[in-house]
Structures are given as structure tokens and as C-alpha cells.
Amino acid sequence: MVTAEARRTRREKPARARKAAAKGTTATGLGKGGEAFQKGLRALQQYIEREGQMPGRAVVERLPEGSEHRTGIWYANQKARRDRLDPARLTALLRLGIDWAR
């Protein structure tokens, strides 16, 4: 026969260790996801220099280090989130000639 105390003991799970809080800024100074934003910005700049226009959603840009970046989707996401973007990110996009970043 199992006692009530034995049942409680079996159900108790060990406490999980808490993860350290994520840092709010990165080395780029552009906040959370700064490195990803910089990669997208480089890919967008490369595309604009080559094509002279903004990318469509299907554009995948190959970066010099050999990685691929889904630049078209990244660009559309930035545009959709423009009201929530950090001012530094909007300024970086504005420098590429993106009108909606004003």
C-alpha cells in the first residue's frame, strides 16, 4: 500500500535552474538580434548595389562568406515592423535609401 506522503514525493520534480537573463544589447549596439540585423543589412546593401532596387520576397542573397540570406523576407519583415524598430535600425535602413524608414 502506497501512502499519501509517498505519492507526493513521487510527484515532486526537482527545481530547474534558471537561465541567466539575456543581455539587452550586443556588440553592434543595436539591441537584441543585432548581429542578425547587421547580416540582413549587409545582404540588402549588396542586393541594392547589384540590382538597383528593393528585393521581392523570394530573393535569397549569397553573402561573401558563403552563407545565404533570405533578404526578401527579411526586408518585408522590417517594413512590417517599422513602427517597432529601434531608431538606430531605422537610420541604418534610411542610409540605404529606404523611404519608409523615415
Side-chain angles (χ1 to χ4, degrees):
M1 177 174 218
V2 178
T3 65
E5 187 174 329
R7 273 186 253 134
R8 270 195 304 271
T9 304
R10 265 191 273 157
R11 278 190 242 143
E12 292 175 6
K13 294 182 179 178
R16 289 196 286 170
R18 290 183 172 216
K19 293 182 179 179
K23 292 184 179 180
T25 60
T26 62
T28 61
L30 293 174
K32 185 177 179 184
E35 290 179 26
F37 183 82
Q38 289 298 323
K39 184 176 181 181
L41 202 60
R42 284 192 312 270
L44 181 60
Q45 181 178 6
Q46 179 178 301
Y47 181 84
I48 291 171
E49 287 173 359
R50 188 180 67 248
E51 301 293 331
Q53 62 185 10
M54 295 303 138
R57 282 189 64 84
V59 170
V60 176
E61 192 70 14
R62 183 171 293 281
L63 295 172
E65 68 266 8
S67 65
E68 289 186 342
H69 186 269
R70 293 167 49 176
T71 309
I73 291 174
W74 180 87
Y75 175 74
N77 286 342
Q78 302 312 304
K79 187 174 182 179
R81 299 173 186 148
R82 64 181 167 240
D83 58 332
R84 297 181 307 241
L85 287 178
D86 183 77
R89 292 182 182 193
L90 286 171
T91 301
L93 291 166
L94 191 57
R95 286 185 188 138
L96 291 181
I98 298 171
D99 293 333
W100 56 255
R102 294 177 189 224

